[in-house]
Amino acid sequence: MAKVKEGDKRVGNQFWKLRSKHGRDKIFTTPKILWDAACEYFQYLDDNPLQQEELVKYKDYYEYASINKMRPYTLTGLCLYLDVNVQYFTDFEKGLSKDDNELSKDFSLVCTRIRETIYAQKFEGAAAGFLNPSIIARDLGLQDKTDITTNGKELPSTPIAPSVINVLIEGSPKYIKD
């Protein structure tokens, strides 16, 4: 740390107090504005499906056709649309639990509704076969947990040494008949 010289006029300055504001402006001042922006994102994805070229044939006639494919709603996509990052959205959501006022509760409801809308759209799209079920199941944290090897018991921390099995084949030199 640099030493301060005697008479330095910067020591003890209070210029930072002259700022008109501190920190970043709120991106969404009301829960309604946040919900409306999320609905714009959802509508954009619905109105602009992904396109897949597919060969369609009928009798002796072949043609390429453009097939609309469902776009899954994602929190990452929403955050990109809102010009924020996922960490900002998550931190914003966590910060709402610290305040016990009506505005924070309303924002919390909107954030929950956004997450639930994204979840439901992905789940229903995968269940109907519009989205890849295995990819969506992993994304949503859905998995079939069946323990068929240990009956719920913990596996030993040290590996078990494999047994050595000697197989003698009839006709080999070491084969001994009883």
Side-chain angles (χ1 to χ4, degrees):
M1 190 167 169
K3 289 187 177 182
V4 178
K5 294 180 183 176
E6 191 176 320
D8 192 337
K9 297 193 189 292
R10 293 176 293 172
V11 174
N13 79 43
Q14 301 289 311
F15 285 124
W16 63 271
K17 290 182 179 179
L18 298 176
R19 291 180 53 120
S20 60
K21 65 177 183 170
H22 300 284
R24 183 176 174 179
D25 286 338
K26 287 185 180 177
I27 295 173
F28 300 102
T29 53
T30 68
K32 182 178 179 355
I33 293 172
L34 175 58
W35 177 246
D36 289 345
C39 287
E40 284 176 22
Y41 165 73
F42 300 146
Q43 191 63 52
Y44 173 81
L45 293 186
D46 292 343
D47 292 343
N48 298 284
L50 296 171
Q51 301 291 310
Q52 179 180 358
E53 291 293 316
E54 200 169 287
L55 183 63
V56 179
K57 64 180 185 175
Y58 179 75
K59 295 185 181 178
D60 292 333
Y61 179 72
Y62 296 92
E63 177 182 58
Y64 279 99
S66 187
I67 309 297
N68 289 340
K69 298 293 241 176
M70 182 179 192
R71 286 181 120 150
Y73 300 166
T74 65
L75 186 60
T76 302
L78 172 66
C79 288
L80 287 169
Y81 185 83
L82 301 176
D83 198 26
V84 299
N85 60 41
V86 175
Q87 189 62 50
Y88 173 87
F89 188 86
T90 304
D91 290 346
F92 175 74
E93 208 172 7
K94 284 179 185 174
L96 296 172
S97 62
K98 295 176 186 171
D99 296 329
D100 192 27
N101 58 44
E102 214 47 48
L103 185 63
S104 292
K105 289 177 184 176
D106 290 345
F107 266 118
S108 182
L109 287 172
V110 168
C111 290
T112 301
R113 174 163 282 177
I114 287 170
R115 287 189 185 272
E116 289 172 346
T117 301
I118 291 170
Y119 184 96
Q121 191 259 5
K122 284 181 183 177
F123 184 86
E124 292 167 7
F130 299 128
L131 300 171
N132 185 316
S134 61
I135 292 173
I136 298 302
R138 275 182 293 202
D139 182 49
L140 298 179
L142 304 174
Q143 52 187 329
D144 203 5
K145 292 183 180 180
T146 305
D147 184 356
I148 59 171
T149 58
T150 64
N151 274 341
K153 295 178 185 172
E154 195 171 315
L155 291 173
S157 59
T158 57
I160 299 171
S163 300
V164 176
I165 301 173
N166 291 322
V167 178
L168 298 175
I169 302 172
E170 190 173 343
S172 71
K174 293 186 178 183
Y175 183 73
I176 302 171
K177 223 174 191 180
D178 291 321

